[in-house]
Amino acid sequence: MQLKDKWALITGSTRGIGQQVAFGLAQQGCNIIVHGRKIEHAEQTLDRLKEYPVQTLVVAGELGNVEQENAFIDTILKQLGHIDILYNNAAIMSQWSDSIYNIPMSEWQRVFEVNLFSLIRISNRFIPIMKQRNWGRVINLSTGMRDTPQLAPYSLSKAALDKYTLDLVSDCKDSNVLVNAVDPGWLRTNLGGEYADYEVESVLPGALIPALLDDFSTSGEIYQAQDYSLQK
């Protein structure tokens, strides 16, 4: 119960991987900030979270929309003053292309705006406060996608995110803010599709490991959630 009374923001936690992470952290006693595009999308997640003795807060905003991002961040900081865990889960998939050479620049920009730039803006608001408080866990969702140039904007946005994760590690090295990534595996979600290898529930407990690390311990790792799956 080392996460009791901590607050976690999980972006995109109204469904899919983010929803599973919310349930898993709540089982550890962590208070949950549920984020989605619209407030009403959080209803199912909130109903399940009632099973656990934790507090919840719901915020809404479209990632990639700077005004909406700032609005939900301001709401969190006004009500709580800080967060302890930032779980950057939300992302969008790029449109399938017949060739990497035919992907329009507008598609690259659309995907990078949500998968990388919005994440950076959110991190810029919360991580400095974590450093001031000398406690924080930052978890970025990575990918194991390989050899799929038709979806290059998605996989390259995640590769850039992996590099950004390492830069955050270097910046936070003298604090108790640990920054790691999770590769969830190919999961049957709205983003992963119906032909993916694993059920979304298999992301637990592996996806929780970076949130449960001891103080001043591991940073800069990409944890493979399926290595810890209980469904195998």
Side-chain angles (χ1 to χ4, degrees), residues 84-86 130 135-139 176 178 210-211 213-215:
D84 303 290
I85 299 168
L86 173 57
M130 291 179 178
W135 204 99
R137 302 292 182 265
V138 180
I139 302 131
N176 190 25
L178 307 181
L213 294 169
D214 290 336
D215 288 350

Side-chain angles (χ1 to χ4, degrees), residues 145-161:
M145 181 181 286
R146 301 288 186 273
D147 303 323
T148 313
Q150 298 89 345
L151 296 174
Y154 174 79
S155 58
L156 265 70
S157 70
K158 291 296 188 175
L161 176 57

Side-chain angles (χ1 to χ4, degrees), residues 38-137:
K38 297 182 178 180
I39 291 288
E40 55 265 31
H41 293 171
E43 183 177 343
Q44 182 189 56
T45 305
L46 289 175
D47 283 346
R48 283 282 305 276
L49 288 174
K50 291 177 182 177
E51 301 174 17
Y52 310 105
V54 300
Q55 300 179 64
T56 58
L57 173 67
V58 181
V59 295
E62 189 87 31
L63 299 189
N65 182 314
V66 176
E67 183 178 349
Q68 292 186 28
E69 291 170 2
N70 283 331
F72 78 71
I73 292 170
D74 289 344
T75 296
I76 294 169
L77 293 178
K78 181 178 180 179
Q79 295 199 30
L80 303 176
H82 74 284
I83 61 172
D84 303 290
I85 299 168
L86 173 57
Y87 210 115
N88 288 308
N89 162 74
I92 58 173
M93 179 57 70
S94 49
Q95 297 293 320
W96 184 271
S97 174
D98 61 344
S99 169
I100 189 174
Y101 308 110
N102 293 333
I103 301 172
M105 287 308 303
S106 59
E107 180 66 0
W108 290 93
Q109 292 163 353
R110 182 183 75 92
V111 173
F112 269 71
E113 185 64 40
V114 174
N115 293 2
L116 182 65
F117 300 145
S118 69
L119 182 150
I120 292 172
R121 290 190 291 266
I122 294 169
S123 298
N124 286 347
R125 297 289 301 276
F126 287 119
I127 296 178
I129 300 174
M130 291 179 178
K131 292 175 65 177
Q132 292 173 6
R133 293 170 53 84
N134 205 37
W135 204 99
R137 302 292 182 265

Side-chain angles (χ1 to χ4, degrees), residues 160-172:
L161 176 57
D162 290 345
K163 178 58 171 65
Y164 178 64
T165 299
L166 295 178
D167 286 338
L168 290 177
V169 170
S170 179
D171 179 74
C172 296

Side-chain angles (χ1 to χ4, degrees), residues 3 20-28 87 139 182 203-213 225:
L3 297 184
Q20 293 299 312
V21 170
F23 298 155
L25 290 176
Q27 290 174 0
Q28 300 295 321
Y87 210 115
I139 302 131
V182 168
V203 77
L204 299 179
L208 304 182
I209 291 175
L212 298 168
L213 294 169

